[in-house]
Amino acid sequence: MKICLFDPGIEDNDGSPSVNLGDLIIQEAVQREITSLFSGCEVLQISTHVFPTQKHLDLARSCSLTFVGGTNLLNSRMNLSKKWKVSIKQQLKQSKPILHGVGWQIYQNTPNLYTKFLLNIVLSTKLFHSVRDNYTKAKLESAGIRNVLNTGCPTMWPLINTRPEEIPYTKSETAMVMLTDYSKRPELDRKLLELIFCKYRKVFVWPQGRGDREYVSGLVSELQFPIVMLEHSYQAFSNFLKSGIHFDYIGTRLHGGIKCLLAKKRSLIIEIDNRAKEIAQDTNLPTADRSELQKISQWIDSPSVTNIQLDLDSINRWKSQFSKFIAKK
């Protein structure tokens, strides 16, 4: 059985990894679920970052199912902002893809006519789509796409099996920090770093995005506080998580923070857009707005239980619809 995956984890169709390493965290989760559902399947990966070539489209046409894997690919003006490089002309000849943990890019008004037309032409009308929050579900419904389930982000699905007592509830002596290069708020981010430096003895930084290292280094040099900067690589982050170092995560990178939670580290996601905020409302993910320094300080100092709530019924409903395809394999 062959599966086609529109994959945010590859930068181009030559297989280069995305420079936003959070996309690799999403890629890992989406591939985990697909291979779990369709054991032994062959997965054809097509980048969401570039338009597919005719060769890739011809290969995709031979696949039994097509998925769009995670990240915030959708928005209300898809004629102007194309995070998912998809065209109506190309997609008319393809199998209709199924969304897997996809989100809406930013808070916006109702989708425009082009976006409504595109989504109704492109997306499957027969199978349920998986989205990561109720805001995305509502936006798709406003575009006429009603076969949608809020399953939460697939990166979080393993947390179903994590008990609250498995994640520390008191402060560590070490912090892992991540800040976002494309959402710079130097005044607030500097205050956040000052707070963290006051509370922790040692601070590590993982640059998830291409420009994160330069941005954080500039802020830190002004504050004259020593940090340990990891390499801009997913392997460096994975090795750190496996190192046995006890730490708290505090940062604006959503998927870096979720990965820390999966490693059973106490974590606080700093909200910079709709993603963490909406997911928190649905799942009880620990978050705080970037301006809420008092709330962040209180979280650091006060015991807090991490109790993630995921909609297992929606996740299982989305998965179970593929049983007929599995039976045919």
Side-chain angles (χ1 to χ4, degrees), residues 65-288:
L65 289 168
T66 301
F67 292 90
V68 182
T71 199
N72 55 328
L73 291 177
L74 306 179
N75 67 80
S76 296
R77 305 288 181 268
M78 292 186 73
N79 54 319
L80 302 176
S81 177
K82 293 183 178 292
K83 290 201 72 175
W84 174 21
K85 298 298 190 291
V86 59
S87 74
I88 294 172
K89 182 179 179 181
Q90 286 181 331
Q91 205 61 38
L92 281 171
K93 301 177 181 179
Q94 301 303 307
S95 60
K96 305 299 183 184
I98 304 128
L99 301 179
H100 186 187
V102 173
W104 211 261
Q105 187 176 351
I106 55 176
Y107 288 121
Q108 290 178 305
N109 295 327
T110 303
N112 63 15
L113 288 175
Y114 175 90
T115 302
K116 290 179 180 179
F117 183 69
L118 173 71
L119 294 177
N120 279 277
I121 288 293
V122 167
L123 296 178
S124 173
T125 58
K126 297 179 180 179
L127 295 167
F128 283 110
H129 299 286
S130 152
V131 296
R132 65 188 186 190
D133 55 60
N134 275 323
Y135 180 76
T136 303
K137 183 174 184 289
K139 283 297 178 188
L140 281 170
E141 288 173 346
S142 72
I145 310 295
R146 304 198 176 277
N147 49 318
V148 183
L149 296 169
N150 175 12
T151 62
C153 185
T155 58
M156 297 178 66
W157 291 3
L159 291 172
I160 291 171
N161 300 315
T162 301
R163 300 186 304 276
E165 59 268 25
E166 294 180 75
I167 298 175
Y169 62 91
T170 56
K171 175 181 171 292
S172 175
E173 295 300 315
T174 300
M176 160 60 76
V177 175
M178 299 178 202
L179 295 179
T180 305
D181 58 356
Y182 63 80
S183 180
K184 298 175 182 177
R185 294 286 299 277
E187 183 179 348
L188 286 176
D189 290 338
R190 193 179 297 110
K191 289 179 179 178
L192 175 63
L193 287 173
E194 287 176 338
L195 174 63
I196 292 169
F197 294 157
C198 287
K199 300 287 187 180
Y200 294 92
R201 292 184 179 179
K202 192 170 186 178
V203 176
F204 289 84
V205 174
W206 182 54
Q208 179 181 298
R210 188 203 304 265
D212 291 6
R213 177 194 294 271
E214 181 181 359
Y215 179 50
V216 176
S217 296
L219 295 174
V220 169
S221 64
E222 296 173 16
L223 298 171
Q224 297 184 337
F225 192 92
I227 62 168
V228 179
M229 180 74 72
L230 303 184
E231 292 180 1
H232 174 64
S233 75
Y234 190 33
Q235 189 61 54
F237 184 42
S238 297
N239 290 343
F240 180 78
L241 292 177
K242 297 173 185 175
S243 68
I245 295 173
H246 297 285
F247 68 89
D248 294 345
Y249 168 78
I250 304 172
T252 59
R253 286 295 189 176
L254 170 64
H255 290 99
I258 290 173
K259 192 68 177 176
C260 290
L261 275 176
L262 292 171
K264 300 178 182 177
K265 306 298 182 183
R266 185 169 178 255
S267 303
L268 181 69
I269 316 294
I270 307 301
E271 301 169 359
I272 58 171
D273 53 30
N274 67 311
R275 292 171 297 168
K277 185 174 183 177
E278 293 298 327
I279 290 174
Q281 290 180 10
D282 299 338
T283 67
N284 206 30
L285 181 73
T287 67

